[in-house]
Amino acid sequence: MAALAPAYASEPESTEEPMEVMLVTADFRGLAVEKIPSSVTVIDAQKIEDEGAQHFEDILGTVANFNWSGGTSRPRYFQIRGVGEQEDYKGAPNSSVGYIIDDIDLSGLGMVSSMYDLQQVEVLRGPQGTRYGANALAGLIYLKSNDPTEQFEHGGQLSLGSDNLRTFAGFSSGPMVDSGELLYRVAVEHHGQDGFRDNAFLGRSDTNERDELSFRSKLRWYAGDNTQVDFTLMHADFDNGYDAWTLDNNGFDTLTDMPGIDAQRTTGVGLKIAHDGFKYAELTSLTSFGGTAHHHGYDGDWANPDYWASRVCESYDDDWNVIGAEPCEYDYTWDKRGDRATVSQEFRLASNDDGRIFAGSTDWLVGLYGMQLDEDNNLQSFYNGWSDEKLRSEYSARNLALFGQLDSDLGNALNLSVGLRLERRESDYRDDAGDNFDPSENMWGGHIALGKQLSDNHNLYGRIARGYKAGGFNMSLPTEFADKKEFSAETLYNYEVGLKSAFLDGNFDTNVALFFMDRKDQQVSASQQDPLKPQRFILFTENAGSSTNYGAELDANWYATDNLHFYGSLGYLVAEYGDYSYQDKYGALVDLSGRELAHAPNWTWALGATWRMDAGFFANVNANGKSEFYYSDSNDSVSDDYSVLNARAGYEADSWSVYLWGRNLLDERYGVRGFYFGNEPDNGWADKQYIRFGDPRMVGVTLDIRL
């Protein structure tokens, strides 16, 4: 096994059959996962297929120290090692977790993530300050679809299942001209299901439906001996319902009269040009555009006029004195529509073999990055037949960054990687309520990593990384929150040591990492129910004094025989506030110092096994789970721990396969998002825990054909 930096000596020739090398494509140089001096999980196409994952939601439980916030129909907001957003209701995006599909930045828009025809998913933990900058304070999720092939390949897939599930997909790939200079690949999928909710008031079972179309196309042009051009076009149209909450926490039988919507229509274009015709360096240009129209709305009273009229509420005189009782009146809807456009350009110049410096010991890389993000939002809500809140806003952010990296072979199997990124961010915000902000700041991040090849099968590394997240502002705050109009940038220092090992002639491998994260000026998202207007919430972000996150991660694979593969992951995390307190809606001081952060379970785990017979029979069983975690930083509402069991079995022939499968086979009821507030006027708006649950048991059959 080679050492950790790209400037290593070539590996000795071997007469043994080479094992498959899994490259991390999100890295500058596309290194093998065992050579990356950081904690990385790569989920390849084979594992995606074995587990029958249709959407990123189906496999995210297999990643150690990873969580998501279920306030949308599909996961959009992620937490890595306890760091990440849980929601974005106002419309000034500022992500902590980067989300990229084929070099197109969709951070904060992760719901359009079909797994069909995907090469691999990469989750990089810890700040990626050198490579990705401000959008990757906590880490990065990178989805890489399959590239065009030199030979023709075609395929189709059909899945049918419970909850009226029906999925149709197909792909085609191959050369467009006889010379092989121009290749193509096209993949399309349509996924639909009812969404596991029965709306008793409307007599419908599709108010929480998923109606999801995904399309990807790629062209690869070999424009000469030294130039490769890759063009990517993606389009996703997710027109989903959102009817997920119940007043009695039954989870699946709703009463709403105005079911919500959670829709996202995204078109992305990417152009990558790689030229290696220079004597000492290779030039890479990455151009991308992403345009998204998103729409999120919900029935905020979670019921209907008939239900509330059957309940008894207190009645008041003009001075708000209780004078008796009357039927309740409560009708509230919330709706936000937004349009986002992101354009980015990156140029990288990286040394080749002849361009190494310091006596040929060091690879170098320099780059320039620019990004423009614009988003317009239109928010409105209605309360008891009256317009309650309206807000039209325009937001713009511009980022310009200069970065560089050195990777050196120090001798004695020691390798050093040093990276630095300088970034300038300017933003503008204005709305029709009179708020105007134009913050700007200079930020920097980077890393120092030292690797030591202990033997052919064991690589040890240590890494220090600095990440950053831009500061920002809070809009639509009442006058008593005037001191919270703006908040500062956050800085995160990540200290990590890891060991990447192979045993049993390479048939058993492990990746172990220990980490400590020191967050300075941590940005905390808070929400408080307005005591005078209980249908409304006051949303703001402020800086906590500090917090610390520490823990460990383990990924393991064991190929016990040619036919039997075991795999698993384990994450341990302690994420606590250092010094943070706030005032609740009644003015009382709440001290969270020492409390654990939201959506940061102490334990995450996953286990799986795949068995394939030479005769074609196949079976996979996998399970994953989490320990309890706080749902919010604004209250002490806590989830239950849970585990989910999945299985898939079938027969695989040369050109076709058929599978029976089941997800959440034990029908575990588990929470993915929770609120703690008052939403029942007949109960005096008393605070109560409300939980949104994940998908219940689902079974189905899949037919896959490949030509």
Side-chain angles (χ1 to χ4, degrees), residues 347-426:
F347 294 105
R348 298 201 303 259
L349 197 63
S351 62
N352 55 24
D353 291 346
D354 295 330
R356 290 173 177 167
I357 57 178
F358 303 137
S361 67
T362 301
D363 279 310
W364 55 267
L365 180 145
V366 294
L368 182 67
Y369 171 83
M371 185 271 288
Q372 172 80 34
L373 184 153
D374 296 290
E375 179 162 315
D376 297 336
N377 282 280
N378 182 10
L379 183 155
Q380 58 182 345
S381 63
F382 294 88
Y383 179 62
N384 290 343
W386 297 89
S387 178
D388 182 57
E389 185 179 13
K390 286 188 176 182
L391 186 70
R392 291 181 178 269
S393 64
E394 297 177 357
Y395 175 76
S396 177
R398 297 162 296 282
N399 291 52
L400 183 64
L402 179 67
F403 57 88
Q405 183 169 306
L406 297 175
D407 297 292
S408 301
D409 184 349
L410 303 180
N412 296 319
L414 279 172
N415 302 276
L416 178 68
S417 178
V418 179
L420 178 66
R421 186 182 187 99
L422 306 175
E423 187 160 352
R424 171 72 175 178
R425 178 183 174 94
E426 299 177 349

Coordinates of all heavy atoms in Angstrom, one line a residue, residues 347-426:
F347 N -10.2 27.8 -11.6 CA -9.1 27.5 -12.4 C -8.0 26.9 -11.4 O -7.7 27.4 -10.3 CB -8.5 28.7 -13.1 CG -9.3 29.3 -14.1 CD1 -10.0 30.5 -13.9 CD2 -9.5 28.7 -15.3 CE1 -10.8 31.1 -14.8 CE2 -10.3 29.2 -16.3 CZ -11.0 30.4 -16.1
R348 N -7.5 25.7 -11.8 CA -6.4 25.1 -11.0 C -5.2 24.7 -11.9 O -5.4 24.2 -13.0 CB -6.9 23.8 -10.4 CG -8.1 23.9 -9.4 CD -8.2 22.8 -8.5 NE -8.3 21.5 -9.1 CZ -9.5 20.8 -9.3 NH1 -10.6 21.4 -8.8 NH2 -9.5 19.7 -9.9
L349 N -4.1 25.0 -11.4 CA -2.8 24.6 -12.1 C -2.1 23.7 -11.1 O -1.7 24.1 -10.0 CB -2.0 25.9 -12.4 CG -0.9 25.7 -13.4 CD1 -1.4 25.3 -14.8 CD2 0.0 27.0 -13.5
A350 N -1.8 22.5 -11.5 CA -1.2 21.5 -10.7 C 0.0 20.9 -11.3 O 0.0 20.6 -12.5 CB -2.2 20.4 -10.4
S351 N 1.0 20.7 -10.6 CA 2.3 20.2 -11.1 C 2.1 18.8 -11.6 O 1.3 18.0 -11.1 CB 3.4 20.2 -10.0 OG 3.0 19.3 -8.9
N352 N 2.9 18.4 -12.7 CA 3.0 17.0 -13.1 C 4.3 16.5 -12.6 O 5.0 17.1 -11.8 CB 2.8 16.9 -14.6 CG 3.8 17.8 -15.4 OD1 4.9 18.2 -14.8 ND2 3.5 18.2 -16.6
D353 N 4.7 15.3 -13.1 CA 5.9 14.7 -12.7 C 7.1 15.5 -12.9 O 8.0 15.6 -12.0 CB 6.1 13.3 -13.4 CG 5.1 12.3 -12.9 OD1 4.4 12.5 -11.9 OD2 4.9 11.2 -13.6
D354 N 7.2 16.2 -14.0 CA 8.3 17.1 -14.3 C 8.3 18.4 -13.6 O 9.3 19.1 -13.5 CB 8.4 17.4 -15.8 CG 8.6 16.2 -16.6 OD1 9.3 15.2 -16.1 OD2 8.2 16.1 -17.8
G355 N 7.1 18.8 -13.0 CA 7.0 20.1 -12.4 C 7.2 20.0 -10.9 O 7.0 21.1 -10.2
R356 N 7.5 18.9 -10.3 CA 7.7 18.8 -8.9 C 8.9 19.7 -8.5 O 9.9 19.8 -9.2 CB 7.9 17.4 -8.4 CG 6.7 16.5 -8.5 CD 7.0 15.1 -8.3 NE 5.8 14.3 -8.3 CZ 5.7 13.0 -8.3 NH1 6.9 12.3 -8.3 NH2 4.6 12.3 -8.3
I357 N 8.8 20.3 -7.3 CA 9.8 21.2 -6.8 C 10.6 20.6 -5.6 O 10.2 19.5 -5.2 CB 9.2 22.5 -6.4 CG1 8.1 22.4 -5.4 CG2 8.7 23.2 -7.7 CD1 7.5 23.7 -4.9
F358 N 11.6 21.3 -5.2 CA 12.4 20.8 -4.0 C 13.0 19.4 -4.3 O 12.7 18.4 -3.7 CB 11.6 20.8 -2.7 CG 11.0 22.1 -2.4 CD1 9.7 22.2 -1.9 CD2 11.7 23.3 -2.5 CE1 9.1 23.4 -1.5 CE2 11.1 24.5 -2.2 CZ 9.8 24.6 -1.7
A359 N 13.8 19.4 -5.4 CA 14.5 18.2 -5.8 C 13.5 17.0 -6.2 O 13.7 15.9 -5.9 CB 15.5 17.7 -4.8
G360 N 12.3 17.4 -6.7 CA 11.4 16.4 -7.1 C 10.6 15.8 -6.0 O 9.9 14.8 -6.2
S361 N 10.6 16.4 -4.8 CA 9.9 15.8 -3.7 C 8.5 16.3 -3.4 O 7.8 15.7 -2.6 CB 10.8 16.0 -2.4 OG 10.8 17.4 -2.1
T362 N 8.2 17.4 -4.1 CA 6.9 18.1 -3.7 C 6.1 18.4 -4.9 O 6.5 19.0 -5.9 CB 7.3 19.4 -3.0 OG1 8.1 19.1 -1.8 CG2 6.0 20.1 -2.6
D363 N 4.8 18.0 -4.9 CA 3.8 18.4 -5.8 C 3.2 19.8 -5.3 O 3.1 20.0 -4.1 CB 2.7 17.4 -5.9 CG 3.0 16.3 -6.8 OD1 3.4 16.5 -7.9 OD2 2.9 15.1 -6.4
W364 N 2.8 20.6 -6.3 CA 2.2 21.9 -5.9 C 0.9 22.1 -6.7 O 0.7 21.5 -7.8 CB 3.2 23.0 -6.2 CG 3.7 23.1 -7.6 CD1 4.9 22.6 -8.0 CD2 3.1 23.7 -8.7 NE1 5.1 22.8 -9.3 CE2 4.0 23.5 -9.8 CE3 1.9 24.4 -8.9 CZ2 3.7 24.0 -11.1 CZ3 1.6 24.9 -10.2 CH2 2.5 24.7 -11.2
L365 N 0.1 23.0 -6.2 CA -1.2 23.3 -6.8 C -1.6 24.7 -6.4 O -1.5 25.0 -5.2 CB -2.3 22.3 -6.4 CG -3.7 22.5 -7.0 CD1 -4.3 21.2 -7.3 CD2 -4.5 23.3 -6.1
V366 N -2.0 25.5 -7.4 CA -2.6 26.8 -7.1 C -3.9 27.0 -7.8 O -4.1 26.3 -8.8 CB -1.6 28.0 -7.5 CG1 -0.3 27.9 -6.6 CG2 -1.2 27.9 -8.9
G367 N -4.8 27.8 -7.3 CA -6.1 27.9 -7.9 C -6.7 29.2 -7.6 O -6.4 29.9 -6.6
L368 N -7.7 29.6 -8.4 CA -8.5 30.8 -8.2 C -10.0 30.4 -8.4 O -10.3 29.6 -9.3 CB -8.2 31.8 -9.3 CG -8.9 33.1 -9.2 CD1 -8.5 33.9 -7.9 CD2 -8.6 34.0 -10.4
Y369 N -10.8 30.9 -7.5 CA -12.3 30.5 -7.4 C -13.1 31.7 -7.3 O -12.8 32.6 -6.5 CB -12.5 29.5 -6.3 CG -14.0 29.2 -6.0 CD1 -14.6 28.2 -6.7 CD2 -14.7 29.9 -5.0 CE1 -16.0 27.9 -6.5 CE2 -16.0 29.6 -4.8 CZ -16.7 28.6 -5.5 OH -18.0 28.4 -5.3
G370 N -14.2 31.8 -8.1 CA -15.2 32.8 -7.9 C -16.6 32.3 -8.0 O -16.9 31.3 -8.7
M371 N -17.5 32.8 -7.2 CA -18.9 32.4 -7.1 C -19.8 33.5 -6.9 O -19.5 34.5 -6.2 CB -19.0 31.3 -6.0 CG -20.4 30.7 -5.9 SD -21.6 31.6 -4.9 CE -20.9 31.3 -3.3
Q372 N -20.9 33.5 -7.6 CA -22.0 34.4 -7.5 C -23.3 33.7 -7.2 O -23.7 32.8 -7.9 CB -22.2 35.3 -8.7 CG -23.4 36.2 -8.7 CD -23.2 37.5 -7.9 OE1 -22.1 38.0 -7.9 NE2 -24.2 38.0 -7.3
L373 N -23.9 34.0 -6.0 CA -25.2 33.4 -5.7 C -26.2 34.5 -5.5 O -26.0 35.5 -4.8 CB -25.1 32.6 -4.4 CG -26.3 31.8 -3.9 CD1 -25.8 30.6 -3.0 CD2 -27.2 32.7 -3.0
D374 N -27.4 34.3 -6.2 CA -28.5 35.2 -6.1 C -29.8 34.4 -5.7 O -30.0 33.4 -6.3 CB -28.7 36.0 -7.4 CG -27.6 36.8 -7.7 OD1 -27.4 37.9 -7.1 OD2 -26.9 36.5 -8.7
E375 N -30.5 34.9 -4.7 CA -31.8 34.3 -4.4 C -32.8 35.3 -4.0 O -32.6 36.2 -3.2 CB -31.6 33.3 -3.2 CG -32.9 32.6 -2.8 CD -32.6 31.4 -1.9 OE1 -31.8 30.6 -2.3 OE2 -33.3 31.2 -0.9
D376 N -34.0 35.1 -4.7 CA -35.2 35.9 -4.4 C -36.2 35.1 -3.7 O -36.4 33.9 -4.1 CB -35.8 36.5 -5.6 CG -34.8 37.5 -6.4 OD1 -33.9 38.0 -5.7 OD2 -35.0 37.6 -7.6
N377 N -36.8 35.6 -2.6 CA -37.8 34.8 -1.9 C -39.1 35.6 -1.7 O -39.1 36.9 -1.6 CB -37.3 34.4 -0.5 CG -36.3 33.3 -0.6 OD1 -36.7 32.1 -0.7 ND2 -35.0 33.5 -0.6
N378 N -40.2 34.9 -1.7 CA -41.5 35.5 -1.4 C -42.2 34.6 -0.4 O -42.6 33.5 -0.6 CB -42.3 35.5 -2.7 CG -43.7 36.1 -2.5 OD1 -44.0 36.7 -1.5 ND2 -44.6 36.0 -3.5
L379 N -42.3 35.2 0.8 CA -42.9 34.5 2.0 C -44.2 35.1 2.3 O -44.3 36.4 2.4 CB -41.9 34.5 3.2 CG -42.3 33.8 4.4 CD1 -41.0 33.5 5.2 CD2 -43.2 34.6 5.4
Q380 N -45.2 34.3 2.6 CA -46.5 34.8 3.1 C -47.2 33.8 4.0 O -47.0 32.6 3.8 CB -47.4 35.3 1.9 CG -47.7 34.2 0.9 CD -48.6 34.7 -0.2 OE1 -49.1 35.8 -0.1 NE2 -48.7 33.9 -1.3
S381 N -47.9 34.3 4.9 CA -48.7 33.4 5.8 C -50.1 34.0 6.0 O -50.3 35.2 5.9 CB -48.0 33.1 7.1 OG -47.9 34.3 7.8
F382 N -51.1 33.2 6.4 CA -52.4 33.6 6.6 C -52.9 33.0 7.9 O -52.7 31.8 8.2 CB -53.4 33.2 5.5 CG -53.0 33.9 4.2 CD1 -52.1 33.3 3.3 CD2 -53.7 35.0 3.8 CE1 -51.8 33.9 2.1 CE2 -53.4 35.7 2.6 CZ -52.5 35.1 1.8
Y383 N -53.5 33.8 8.8 CA -54.0 33.4 10.1 C -55.5 33.8 10.2 O -55.8 35.0 10.2 CB -53.2 34.1 11.2 CG -53.6 33.7 12.6 CD1 -53.5 32.4 13.1 CD2 -54.0 34.7 13.5 CE1 -53.9 32.1 14.4 CE2 -54.3 34.4 14.8 CZ -54.3 33.1 15.2 OH -54.6 32.8 16.5
N384 N -56.3 32.8 10.4 CA -57.8 33.0 10.6 C -58.4 33.9 9.5 O -59.2 34.8 9.8 CB -58.0 33.5 12.0 CG -57.8 32.5 13.1 OD1 -57.7 31.3 12.8 ND2 -57.7 33.0 14.3
G385 N -58.0 33.6 8.3 CA -58.5 34.3 7.1 C -57.9 35.6 6.8 O -58.3 36.3 5.8
W386 N -56.9 36.1 7.6 CA -56.3 37.4 7.4 C -54.8 37.1 7.0 O -54.2 36.2 7.4 CB -56.3 38.2 8.6 CG -57.7 38.6 9.1 CD1 -58.5 37.9 9.9 CD2 -58.5 39.7 8.7 NE1 -59.7 38.5 10.0 CE2 -59.7 39.6 9.3 CE3 -58.2 40.8 7.8 CZ2 -60.7 40.6 9.1 CZ3 -59.2 41.8 7.7 CH2 -60.4 41.7 8.3
S387 N -54.3 38.0 6.2 CA -52.9 38.0 5.8 C -52.1 38.3 7.1 O -52.3 39.3 7.7 CB -52.6 39.0 4.8 OG -51.2 39.0 4.5
D388 N -51.2 37.4 7.5 CA -50.5 37.5 8.7 C -49.1 38.0 8.5 O -48.6 38.9 9.3 CB -50.4 36.1 9.4 CG -49.7 36.1 10.7 OD1 -50.1 36.9 11.6 OD2 -48.7 35.4 10.9
E389 N -48.4 37.6 7.5 CA -47.0 38.0 7.3 C -46.7 37.9 5.8 O -47.0 36.9 5.1 CB -46.1 37.1 8.0 CG -44.6 37.4 8.0 CD -43.7 36.5 8.8 OE1 -44.2 35.4 9.2 OE2 -42.5 36.9 9.0
K390 N -46.1 39.0 5.3 CA -45.6 39.0 3.9 C -44.2 39.5 3.9 O -43.9 40.5 4.5 CB -46.5 39.9 3.0 CG -47.9 39.2 2.7 CD -48.6 40.1 1.7 CE -49.9 39.4 1.3 NZ -50.7 40.2 0.2
L391 N -43.4 38.9 3.1 CA -42.0 39.4 3.0 C -41.4 39.0 1.6 O -41.3 37.8 1.3 CB -41.1 38.8 4.1 CG -39.7 39.3 4.2 CD1 -39.7 40.7 4.7 CD2 -38.9 38.4 5.1
R392 N -41.0 40.0 0.9 CA -40.3 39.8 -0.4 C -38.9 40.2 -0.2 O -38.6 41.3 0.4 CB -40.9 40.6 -1.5 CG -42.3 40.1 -2.0 CD -42.8 40.9 -3.1 NE -44.1 40.4 -3.6 CZ -44.3 39.5 -4.6 NH1 -43.2 39.0 -5.2 NH2 -45.4 39.1 -4.9
S393 N -37.9 39.4 -0.5 CA -36.5 39.7 -0.3 C -35.6 39.3 -1.5 O -36.0 38.5 -2.3 CB -36.0 38.9 1.0 OG -36.1 37.5 0.7
E394 N -34.5 40.0 -1.5 CA -33.5 39.8 -2.5 C -32.2 39.6 -1.8 O -31.8 40.5 -1.0 CB -33.4 40.9 -3.5 CG -34.7 41.1 -4.4 CD -34.6 42.3 -5.3 OE1 -33.6 43.0 -5.3 OE2 -35.5 42.6 -6.0
Y395 N -31.4 38.6 -2.2 CA -30.2 38.3 -1.5 C -29.1 38.0 -2.6 O -29.4 37.3 -3.6 CB -30.3 37.1 -0.6 CG -29.0 36.6 0.1 CD1 -28.4 37.3 1.1 CD2 -28.4 35.5 -0.4 CE1 -27.2 36.9 1.6 CE2 -27.2 35.0 0.2 CZ -26.6 35.8 1.2 OH -25.4 35.4 1.8
S396 N -27.9 38.5 -2.4 CA -26.8 38.2 -3.3 C -25.5 38.0 -2.5 O -25.3 38.8 -1.5 CB -26.7 39.4 -4.3 OG -25.6 39.2 -5.2
A397 N -24.7 37.1 -2.9 CA -23.4 36.8 -2.3 C -22.4 36.6 -3.3 O -22.6 35.9 -4.3 CB -23.5 35.7 -1.3
R398 N -21.2 37.1 -3.1 CA -20.1 37.0 -4.1 C -18.9 36.5 -3.3 O -18.5 37.1 -2.3 CB -19.8 38.3 -4.8 CG -20.9 38.8 -5.7 CD -20.8 40.3 -6.0 NE -20.8 41.1 -4.8 CZ -22.0 41.4 -4.2 NH1 -23.1 41.0 -4.6 NH2 -21.9 42.2 -3.1
N399 N -18.3 35.4 -3.8 CA -17.1 34.9 -3.1 C -16.0 34.8 -4.1 O -16.1 34.4 -5.3 CB -17.3 33.4 -2.6 CG -18.3 33.4 -1.5 OD1 -19.4 33.9 -1.5 ND2 -17.9 32.7 -0.4
L400 N -14.8 35.3 -3.7 CA -13.6 35.2 -4.5 C -12.5 34.6 -3.6 O -12.2 35.1 -2.5 CB -13.1 36.5 -5.0 CG -11.9 36.6 -5.9 CD1 -12.2 35.8 -7.2 CD2 -11.5 38.0 -6.2
A401 N -11.8 33.5 -4.1 CA -10.9 32.8 -3.3 C -9.6 32.5 -4.0 O -9.7 32.2 -5.2 CB -11.5 31.5 -2.7
L402 N -8.5 32.5 -3.4 CA -7.2 32.1 -3.9 C -6.7 31.0 -3.0 O -6.7 31.1 -1.7 CB -6.2 33.3 -3.9 CG -4.8 33.0 -4.4 CD1 -4.8 32.6 -5.8 CD2 -3.9 34.2 -4.1
F403 N -6.3 29.9 -3.6 CA -5.9 28.7 -2.7 C -4.6 28.0 -3.3 O -4.3 28.2 -4.5 CB -7.0 27.7 -2.6 CG -7.5 27.2 -3.9 CD1 -7.0 26.1 -4.5 CD2 -8.6 27.8 -4.5 CE1 -7.5 25.6 -5.7 CE2 -9.1 27.3 -5.7 CZ -8.6 26.2 -6.3
G404 N -3.9 27.3 -2.5 CA -2.8 26.5 -2.9 C -2.5 25.4 -2.0 O -3.0 25.3 -0.8
Q405 N -1.8 24.4 -2.5 CA -1.5 23.2 -1.7 C -0.1 22.7 -2.1 O 0.2 22.6 -3.3 CB -2.6 22.2 -1.9 CG -2.4 20.9 -1.0 CD -3.6 20.0 -1.1 OE1 -4.7 20.5 -0.8 NE2 -3.4 18.7 -1.4
L406 N 0.7 22.2 -1.1 CA 1.9 21.5 -1.3 C 1.8 20.1 -0.7 O 1.4 20.0 0.4 CB 3.1 22.3 -0.7 CG 3.4 23.7 -1.2 CD1 4.5 24.3 -0.4 CD2 3.8 23.6 -2.7
D407 N 2.3 19.1 -1.5 CA 2.3 17.7 -1.0 C 3.7 17.2 -1.1 O 4.2 17.0 -2.3 CB 1.3 16.9 -1.7 CG -0.1 17.3 -1.6 OD1 -0.6 17.2 -0.4 OD2 -0.7 17.8 -2.5
S408 N 4.4 16.9 0.0 CA 5.8 16.6 0.0 C 6.1 15.2 0.5 O 5.5 14.8 1.5 CB 6.6 17.7 0.8 OG 6.4 19.0 0.3
D409 N 7.1 14.6 -0.1 CA 7.7 13.3 0.4 C 8.9 13.7 1.1 O 9.9 14.2 0.6 CB 8.0 12.4 -0.8 CG 8.5 11.1 -0.4 OD1 8.8 10.9 0.8 OD2 8.7 10.2 -1.2
L410 N 8.8 13.5 2.5 CA 9.9 14.0 3.3 C 11.0 12.9 3.5 O 12.0 13.1 4.2 CB 9.4 14.4 4.7 CG 8.3 15.5 4.7 CD1 7.9 15.8 6.1 CD2 8.9 16.7 4.0
G411 N 10.8 11.7 2.9 CA 11.6 10.6 3.2 C 11.3 9.8 4.4 O 10.5 10.3 5.2
N412 N 11.8 8.6 4.5 CA 11.5 7.8 5.7 C 10.0 7.5 5.8 O 9.5 7.4 6.9 CB 12.1 8.4 7.0 CG 13.6 8.5 7.0 OD1 14.3 7.6 6.6 ND2 14.1 9.6 7.5
A413 N 9.4 7.4 4.7 CA 7.9 7.1 4.6 C 7.1 8.2 5.3 O 6.0 7.9 5.8 CB 7.6 5.8 5.3
L414 N 7.6 9.4 5.4 CA 6.9 10.6 5.9 C 6.4 11.5 4.8 O 7.2 11.7 3.8 CB 7.7 11.4 6.9 CG 7.9 10.9 8.3 CD1 8.9 11.7 9.0 CD2 6.5 10.9 9.0
N415 N 5.2 11.9 4.9 CA 4.6 12.8 3.8 C 3.8 13.9 4.5 O 3.1 13.8 5.5 CB 3.7 12.0 2.9 CG 4.4 10.8 2.3 OD1 5.0 11.0 1.3 ND2 4.3 9.6 2.9
L416 N 4.0 15.1 3.9 CA 3.4 16.3 4.5 C 2.6 17.0 3.4 O 3.0 17.2 2.3 CB 4.6 17.3 4.9 CG 4.1 18.6 5.4 CD1 3.4 18.5 6.8 CD2 5.3 19.6 5.6
S417 N 1.3 17.4 3.8 CA 0.4 18.1 3.0 C 0.1 19.4 3.7 O -0.4 19.4 4.8 CB -0.8 17.3 2.7 OG -1.7 18.1 1.9
V418 N 0.2 20.6 3.0 CA -0.1 21.9 3.5 C -0.9 22.6 2.5 O -0.6 22.7 1.4 CB 1.2 22.7 3.8 CG1 0.9 24.0 4.4 CG2 2.1 21.9 4.8
G419 N -2.0 23.2 3.0 CA -2.9 23.9 2.1 C -3.4 25.2 2.8 O -3.5 25.3 4.0
L420 N -3.7 26.2 2.0 CA -4.2 27.5 2.5 C -5.2 28.0 1.5 O -5.0 27.9 0.3 CB -3.0 28.4 2.7 CG -3.4 29.9 3.1 CD1 -3.9 29.8 4.5 CD2 -2.1 30.8 3.0
R421 N -6.2 28.6 2.0 CA -7.3 29.3 1.2 C -7.6 30.6 1.7 O -7.9 30.7 2.9 CB -8.5 28.4 1.1 CG -9.6 29.0 0.1 CD -10.8 28.1 0.1 NE -11.8 28.4 -0.9 CZ -11.9 27.8 -2.0 NH1 -11.1 26.7 -2.3 NH2 -12.9 28.1 -2.9
L422 N -7.5 31.7 0.9 CA -7.9 33.0 1.3 C -9.2 33.4 0.6 O -9.3 33.2 -0.7 CB -6.8 34.0 1.0 CG -5.4 33.7 1.5 CD1 -4.4 34.8 1.0 CD2 -5.4 33.7 3.1
E423 N -10.2 33.8 1.3 CA -11.5 34.0 0.7 C -12.1 35.4 1.1 O -12.1 35.8 2.2 CB -12.5 32.9 1.0 CG -13.8 32.9 0.3 CD -14.5 31.6 0.3 OE1 -13.9 30.6 0.7 OE2 -15.6 31.5 -0.2
R424 N -12.6 36.1 0.1 CA -13.3 37.3 0.3 C -14.8 37.1 0.0 O -15.2 36.6 -1.1 CB -12.8 38.4 -0.6 CG -13.6 39.7 -0.7 CD -13.4 40.5 0.6 NE -14.1 41.8 0.5 CZ -14.2 42.7 1.5 NH1 -13.6 42.4 2.6 NH2 -14.8 43.9 1.3
R425 N -15.7 37.5 0.9 CA -17.1 37.3 0.7 C -17.8 38.7 0.9 O -17.6 39.3 1.9 CB -17.7 36.3 1.7 CG -19.2 36.1 1.5 CD -19.7 35.1 2.6 NE -21.1 35.0 2.6 CZ -21.8 34.0 2.0 NH1 -21.2 33.2 1.2 NH2 -23.1 34.0 2.1
E426 N -18.7 39.0 -0.1 CA -19.5 40.2 0.0 C -20.9 39.8 -0.2 O -21.2 39.0 -1.1 CB -19.1 41.2 -1.0 CG -17.6 41.7 -0.8 CD -17.2 42.7 -1.9 OE1 -17.9 42.8 -2.9 OE2 -16.1 43.3 -1.7

